[in-house]
Amino acid sequence: MLYFEFLFLLLMLYIGSRYGGIGLGVVSGIGLVIEVFFFQMPPSSPPVTVMLIILAVVTCASILEAAGGLKYMLQIAERLLRKNPKRVTLVAPFVTYAMTFMLGTGHAVYSIMPIIGDVALKNGIRPERPMAASSVASQIAITASPLSAAVVYYLTQLSNIQADISLISILMVTVPSTLFGTLLMALYSMKRGKELADDSEYQARLQDPEWRERILNTTSTSLNEELPRSAKNAVLLFLISILMIVGIAMMPEIRTIGDSAKPISMSVIIQMMMLCFGGVILLATQTVPRDVPNGVVFKSGMVAAIAIFGIAWMSDTYFQYAMPQFKTGIVEMVATYPWTFALALFIVSVVVNSQAATAVMMLPVGLELGLEPELLIGIMPAVYGYFFIPNYPSDIATVNFDTSGTTKIGKWYFNHSFMSIGLICVIGSCLFGYVLAQWVIG
């Protein structure tokens, strides 16, 4: 019966994934009701902490966007790319990585994808090389951002198991490991695919007058837009908020209030700081509050919160119910082959399309199985597996932004532009992270 119920769980996740973010959340709600009232599973607690973190970070980042801060960051990124046009395949993935690292979400990088493609085309470089790698880099960086819900959830859970695990110790593993994976991917991308002169599909597209006009005469740029001084100030204030969060994480005594012997949880600190600096940016830049919900960051963040609400609640209800029966067999397998848990993380991420939801769903399972924190942190990049099926918004957007047609979903669906580099990035990050975690955490 447990296996049948697990297949039901996967079926609901699959149906929800066909409808995307909000659809995934509410279809999971259908699954939750069936689990509780038909299969008689006691409902677990909803993922309130993760949702509040997402709301706080998204609120602050959305105010930053409304104040012009994201456009200011985009202009800095574009200048960097146009100063190094021949190295765009190496530079671009680290640009999108940095944007996600600072914002905690990969949805803010859409606006730079046409620029990456434009720089590549104007220098005779196959756009697939930097564009596909940049899309993957923007997502793998979520496991290294101090503001991402996935990282904060790992911190919240693991610090309860091992007191010396801090935000800094997690980032000391995930940042170098994901940068290593990004570098491997960028190096591999330097020569992937045919050169434009030898690509028959690209040459055929050039014969179409409409496509030829779009490819050769369209210049995507953000540099011709004059931004108010408040945009720069908003970015500086946002960077200060990140530095304060990291600084407070390094000094637990600051988080120890009054007579309490236990420091305030970092998940609470992040929520407080994001709301606080959201207010500071709003007041300092005189941003109009009604403009805040109109940006891409706010919309994508709210969709993510709803998706995680349903996915995590439905999944956690099942695993808490089934774990006593599953534990013996799974423990034996994972004890013999620890890497199999990374495979489990990856497969779940492919289905649920969210790193935070994968973490909320699977990390408690790993802890229940008695897995060591250094293993769980080292293989954390494996929560990014949703490039495997090319239906994630950043990948679809990248395909559409590439006017050359070199970034694509293949004829056989799985032979798409993100597959090989995604595997290289995730596997490389996990291997490096596992070795590094033995030294940092162990």
Side-chain angles (χ1 to χ4, degrees):
M1 190 64 180
L2 286 176
Y3 291 109
F4 172 77
E5 290 163 348
F6 182 67
L7 290 176
F8 169 78
L9 173 69
L10 294 180
L11 175 64
M12 298 308 295
L13 291 173
Y14 173 76
I15 294 173
S17 69
R18 305 293 294 177
Y19 293 92
I22 291 179
L24 190 52
V26 295
V27 170
S28 295
I30 297 174
L32 176 65
V33 169
I34 294 174
E35 283 180 342
V36 173
F37 292 100
F38 183 77
F39 294 126
Q40 296 293 297
M41 299 181 188
S44 64
S45 300
V48 175
T49 299
V50 175
M51 292 172 61
L52 290 178
I53 292 167
I54 293 174
L55 290 175
V57 172
V58 165
T59 299
C60 187
S62 299
I63 294 172
L64 172 71
E65 181 179 16
L70 284 188
K71 288 185 179 179
Y72 179 78
M73 293 170 63
L74 178 63
Q75 289 185 348
I76 294 175
E78 182 176 350
R79 290 190 184 98
L80 178 62
L81 290 170
R82 295 196 183 279
K83 283 182 179 179
N84 301 273
K86 296 295 184 181
R87 300 185 181 90
V88 65
T89 304
L90 278 176
V91 175
F94 289 98
V95 168
T96 57
Y97 180 103
M99 293 179 70
T100 296
F101 176 85
M102 288 188 289
L103 295 168
T105 173
H107 291 292
V109 301
Y110 296 150
S111 52
I112 201 170
M113 286 302 180
I115 295 170
I116 294 172
D118 184 68
V119 172
L121 272 176
K122 296 236 173 345
N123 289 274
I125 297 169
R126 183 181 180 87
E128 177 191 35
R129 295 170 180 174
M131 293 184 75
S134 296
S135 180
V136 172
S138 72
Q139 300 303 316
I140 196 71
I142 291 174
T143 59
S145 172
L147 300 183
S148 77
V151 170
V152 177
Y153 183 75
Y154 258 69
L155 172 64
T156 302
Q157 295 297 307
L158 294 177
S159 59
N160 292 331
I161 303 299
Q162 190 170 316
D164 60 346
I165 292 179
S166 64
L167 178 62
I168 300 302
S169 60
I170 293 176
L171 296 181
M172 284 176 65
V173 175
T174 59
V175 172
S177 64
T178 51
L179 284 173
F180 176 75
T182 300
L183 177 61
L184 288 181
M185 170 180 64
L187 290 173
Y188 170 80
S189 297
M190 293 286 288
K191 294 296 182 182
R192 70 177 302 212
K194 296 178 181 179
E195 299 297 335
L196 290 178
D198 302 323
D199 190 319
S200 59
E201 292 183 32
Y202 172 72
Q203 294 301 323
R205 183 168 285 200
L206 281 179
Q207 303 308 310
D208 184 312
E210 182 179 345
W211 277 111
R212 184 179 179 84
E213 175 68 19
R214 290 181 61 184
I215 291 171
L216 299 182
N217 299 322
T218 301
T219 298
S220 298
T221 182
S222 64
L223 299 180
N224 53 13
E225 184 174 356
E226 188 173 346
L227 300 177
R229 182 174 178 80
S230 60
K232 180 179 180 180
N233 294 335
V235 173
L236 291 175
L237 288 169
F238 190 77
L239 291 176
I240 290 172
S241 72
I242 297 175
L243 292 175
M244 286 194 66
I245 289 171
V246 174
I248 292 173
M250 295 175 66
M251 294 177 284
E253 60 272 15
I254 297 179
R255 294 184 280 128
T256 306
I257 306 299
D259 297 328
S260 175
K262 189 175 181 180
I264 299 173
S265 166
M266 278 305 300
S267 63
V268 174
I269 293 294
I270 290 175
Q271 294 170 50
M272 291 170 56
M273 286 298 170
M274 287 292 96
L275 287 176
C276 171
F277 274 88
V280 171
I281 294 171
L282 186 77
L283 297 176
T285 62
Q286 296 185 333
T287 299
V288 180
R290 66 173 176 270
D291 294 338
V292 174
N294 298 327
V296 64
V297 173
F298 187 87
K299 292 176 181 177
S300 61
M302 293 304 103
V303 168
I306 295 170
I308 288 170
F309 186 19
I311 293 168
W313 201 358
M314 177 182 69
S315 303
D316 191 49
T317 295
Y318 171 79
F319 281 111
Q320 284 199 19
Y321 174 78
M323 185 52 66
Q325 290 87 343
F326 279 161
K327 189 172 183 179
T328 303
I330 298 177
V331 165
E332 184 177 344
M333 180 184 69
V334 173
T336 307
Y337 307 104
W339 60 268
T340 55
F341 192 72
L343 184 60
L345 291 175
F346 186 87
I347 293 172
V348 169
S349 178
V350 170
V351 176
V352 303
N353 267 5
S354 168
Q355 298 187 38
T358 301
V360 172
M361 181 175 171
M362 295 301 293
L363 183 58
V365 177
L367 294 174
E368 278 283 327
L369 296 173
L371 299 181
E372 297 295 328
E374 53 264 34
L375 169 66
L376 294 170
I377 294 173
I379 63 174
M380 187 180 174
V383 300
Y384 170 47
Y386 45 80
F387 65 85
F388 198 85
I389 299 175
N391 61 359
Y392 196 72
S394 62
D395 296 336
I396 297 298
T398 301
V399 171
N400 292 329
F401 284 138
D402 185 358
T403 56
S404 71
T406 58
T407 308
K408 56 191 175 183
I409 297 171
K411 180 180 179 181
W412 307 110
Y413 193 60
F414 289 103
N415 59 329
H416 52 78
S417 294
F418 312 97
M419 180 65 81
S420 60
I421 55 172
L423 291 172
I424 288 171
C425 187
V426 171
I427 293 173
S429 298
C430 286
L431 291 175
F432 189 85
Y434 178 71
V435 173
L436 186 59
Q438 306 305 308
W439 175 67
V440 175
I441 308 297

